[in-house]
Amino acid sequence: MLEGVSAQPPSDGMSSDPVSVLVLAAGEGTRMKSATPKVLHRIAGRPLLEHSVRAAAGAEPDELSVVIGHGRQAVDEHLAALQDGLGRRIETVVQQEQLGTGHAVRCGREQRESAGTVLVTYGDIPLLDSATMRALLREHRRSGNAVTLLTAVVEHPAGYGRIVRDAAGEVTSIVEQKDATPEQATIDEINSGVYAFDARFLDTALRRLSTDNSQGELYLTDVVAIARGEGLGVGALVCSDNWLVEGVNDRVQLASVGAELNRRMLLHWMREGVTITDPSSVWLDCDVRLGRDVVLEPNVRLRAGTTVGEGASIGPETTLTACSIGAGAEVVSTHGEHAEVAAGASVGPFAYLRSGTRLGEDGKVGTFVEVKNADIGAGTKVPHLSYVGDATVGTNSNIGAATVFVNYDGVAKHHTVIGSHARTGADNMFVAPVRVDDGAYTAAGSVITDDVPPGAMAVARGKQRNIEGWVAKRRPGTAADEAAQRALADRENSTENDE
Ligand code: UD1
Ligand code: MG
């Protein structure tokens, strides 16, 4: 379909001309003071650039290209993965030296000249959505402009390019902060950096840009004055939601834009029927799915890939990464990653579910319990103070308090199997590989090294012996000795009275 569209002759219709999007992401992002390229810093679990590229992809352009430069290997790797995830082609164009936004677009256009419309956006404005990009495209096509800008009226325009309009209100140019006269600096309508261009006009205008400005850069913004000079139409779509065009230049903005995105996602989920008792302390990634009547208690963080089924309750104090929580389950004060918890199960408080944990329906992983790579069957309970690693446990069994699945011999990991309806005693060690069969019991304090057949009771501990009078002989005159003497005397008296 992609080839079909771009193979069309230059379009004379307004709505079918091919659209290409260029995402500029070559800048260094010096103010981040980071070893990581700015556009790979994350909010809501996704790099800034991924937010921008997904929004661009949602506008369904025929071509989607990203101009990369600083940290380009890491950025390119992320884009390759994203291309697979989105199932659409993402071209990358390298801008060797960052000589300005006009130069970046020139690099992008040199590689792929096409007619139609070119949308330009940035890799560091993560809240811009597909709907706004489509609206810009519609306005551009409707007006037949050479350039249509996305602008915003802001309280603090410092740092942005200002939109200069003539007496008739028509846009005549964009002036950068550093080149603005004091009068221009008071203009509160700013350039968001998102534009729709007629491709043929853009390509000629790019050749006419100069570095004659305070930063010695090729400014993309100068294309506006060039269009006006040619008598071509320049229009602006004023974005009414300023957050959508908010850029990230430093970590302060990273936090504030991230918080706003989170706030919006929480509103979305509350409107979908999720109860969030304290929205100020709940953080969600984009790739999270929540069912109706889910309750999120305070201090909950749900990271990418986590799904929570209808009516389940999460928190307080819980972080889950790529976990799937079944309907009606309850997860309290828990840290979980790549774990599956089936419907009606209960986890925590103070549980750690590590990768490969699978807890069956109505099962329980209780307090101070760590589970790793283990299948715990439906109705089975591990209530207290235990480590379950590399194990398969059947259904409706009970694992006694303070049990350790001894899975590691210092060299290799081994597997333990516990059957169904088993009752294992408190303070057991299961030294893997070992198997406790269906319906078997084990005695408290046992170190189980041999398989236990179905229905057997395994006792694996030293037999108790009491050495009478040991304290009187070895610890005479101590408080323990005195207490013991009193207890023995009491006992003697009570036997005499009974007689
Ligand atoms: C630019 C605009 C300004 C606008 C502002 C909005 C120009 C000259 N100015 O200013 O009018 O208000 O954005 O945020 O365009 N980039 C490259 N290669 C380069 C230079 C930049 O890829 O050579 C990319 C950056 O990675 C960034 C984006 O382009 O994502 C914007 O560059 P930046 O230097 O931040 O431009 P501003 O000075 O903010
Ligand atoms: Mg900027």
Side-chain angles (χ1 to χ4, degrees):
M1 177 188 143
L2 211 140
E3 287 78 22
V5 173
S6 48
Q8 280 177 3
S11 164
D12 49 4
M14 283 211 308
S15 57
S16 59
D17 61 339
V19 175
S20 45
V21 177
L22 266 182
V23 182
L24 307 191
E28 188 176 3
T30 33
R31 279 174 283 168
M32 296 299 283
K33 299 188 178 164
S34 176
T36 304
K38 175 167 84 175
V39 291
L40 293 187
H41 280 263
R42 289 167 182 266
I43 58 171
R46 287 177 180 165
L48 298 175
L49 180 59
E50 181 172 340
H51 290 279
S52 299
V53 168
R54 281 177 181 270
E60 297 180 348
D62 303 289
E63 281 186 0
L64 173 46
S65 313
V66 182
V67 180
I68 61 177
H70 270 281
R72 67 170 180 260
Q73 197 186 333
V75 176
D76 203 24
E77 274 165 25
H78 178 72
L79 287 171
L82 183 55
Q83 172 173 269
D84 295 342
L86 288 175
R88 71 152 296 149
R89 189 105 186 89
I90 301 171
E91 309 286 344
T92 52
V93 180
V94 175
Q95 183 192 22
Q96 296 286 356
E97 260 187 294
Q98 283 67 60
L99 305 176
T101 47
H103 181 253
V105 173
R106 209 192 255 178
C107 291
R109 293 299 296 167
E110 264 163 20
Q111 311 256 339
R112 46 194 64 263
E113 296 218 353
S114 58
T117 302
V118 179
L119 282 173
V120 171
T121 179
Y122 294 163
D124 58 4
I125 44 173
L127 301 195
L128 184 73
D129 58 359
S130 306
T132 304
M133 296 193 79
R134 284 196 297 264
L136 181 67
L137 189 57
R138 268 199 308 278
E139 172 59 18
H140 182 72
R141 282 169 166 163
R142 187 199 59 75
S143 63
N145 287 328
V147 189
T148 309
L149 313 168
L150 184 66
T151 70
V153 176
V154 300
E155 212 178 317
H156 305 291
Y160 288 103
R162 309 297 207 284
I163 305 297
V164 181
R165 292 177 183 263
D166 62 17
E170 299 291 325
V171 177
T172 55
S173 64
I174 300 173
V175 194
E176 289 307 293
Q177 166 91 25
K178 289 180 180 155
D179 304 291
T181 63
E183 196 192 331
Q184 286 169 333
T186 66
I187 298 172
D188 62 358
E189 187 182 5
I190 59 105
N191 171 30
S192 69
V194 181
Y195 323 74
F197 296 102
D198 174 79
R200 292 189 189 290
F201 160 72
L202 177 65
D203 292 333
T204 41
L206 286 172
R207 287 184 213 116
R208 291 171 54 186
L209 294 180
S210 85
T211 54
D212 183 17
N213 53 57
S214 65
Q215 302 187 83
E217 289 184 356
L218 292 172
Y219 286 174
L220 179 60
T221 45
D222 287 348
V223 165
V224 170
I226 293 173
R228 282 304 299 249
E230 297 290 312
L232 298 170
V234 176
L237 180 70
V238 185
C239 182
S240 56
D241 181 351
N242 290 350
W243 278 109
L244 300 192
V245 298
E246 185 80 7
V248 172
N249 294 302
D250 59 24
R251 311 239 188 185
V252 176
Q253 287 168 319
L254 184 72
S256 66
V257 171
E260 179 59 20
L261 176 54
N262 188 61
R263 195 185 69 82
R264 289 175 184 221
M265 287 194 294
L266 295 178
L267 288 181
H268 164 81
W269 287 115
M270 287 188 275
R271 288 180 181 131
E272 290 295 308
V274 172
T275 293
I276 301 176
T277 46
D278 174 22
S280 70
S281 70
V282 172
W283 290 84
L284 303 180
D285 279 358
C286 291
D287 305 297
V288 162
R289 294 281 160 269
L290 307 175
R292 277 189 179 203
D293 291 317
V294 161
V295 177
L296 302 182
E297 296 288 7
N299 291 318
V300 165
R301 164 153 226 158
L302 302 181
R303 313 189 97 125
T306 296
T307 63
V308 182
E310 223 172 285
S313 169
I314 312 293
E317 324 291 340
T318 294
T319 298
L320 301 176
T321 303
C323 288
S324 127
I325 309 297
E330 202 174 322
V331 180
V332 180
S333 295
T334 290
H335 196 98
E337 51 210 31
H338 301 276
E340 284 173 36
V341 173
S346 119
V347 179
F350 312 115
Y352 182 18
L353 308 180
R354 290 166 57 196
S355 201
T357 295
R358 286 214 295 269
L359 178 60
E361 230 170 272
D362 299 323
K364 179 185 174 88
V365 164
T367 307
F368 300 116
V369 174
E370 174 179 342
V371 184
K372 184 216 75 173
N373 186 32
D375 236 307
I376 299 174
T380 287
K381 295 179 170 43
V382 189
H384 335 271
L385 298 160
S386 295
Y387 171 62
V388 183
D390 298 303
T392 307
V393 185
T395 60
N396 300 298
S397 287
N398 193 84
I399 305 299
T403 292
V404 175
F405 284 60
V406 183
N407 57 334
Y408 188 47
D409 59 14
V411 179
K413 300 280 170 67
H414 302 281
H415 200 84
T416 295
V417 178
I418 309 280
S420 295
H421 296 281
R423 294 278 174 277
T424 68
D427 199 18
N428 276 195
M429 304 277 150
F430 296 111
V431 182
V434 74
R435 179 183 183 95
V436 176
D437 230 300
D438 292 350
Y441 277 56
T442 61
S446 290
V447 178
I448 304 294
T449 52
D450 298 330
D451 290 357
V452 182
M457 158 64 93
V459 186
R461 64 183 187 212
K463 200 166 165 53
Q464 182 177 334
R465 68 192 176 106
N466 297 334
I467 307 170
E468 301 274 354
W470 187 92
V471 172
K473 204 188 292 174
R474 297 295 186 89
R475 302 285 185 271
T478 60
D481 186 28
E482 284 162 14
Q485 298 307 332
R486 277 196 301 276
L488 288 170
D490 285 354
R491 209 181 263 188
E492 214 153 284
N493 289 341
S494 65
T495 16
E496 270 169 26
N497 293 345
D498 286 350
E499 280 166 7

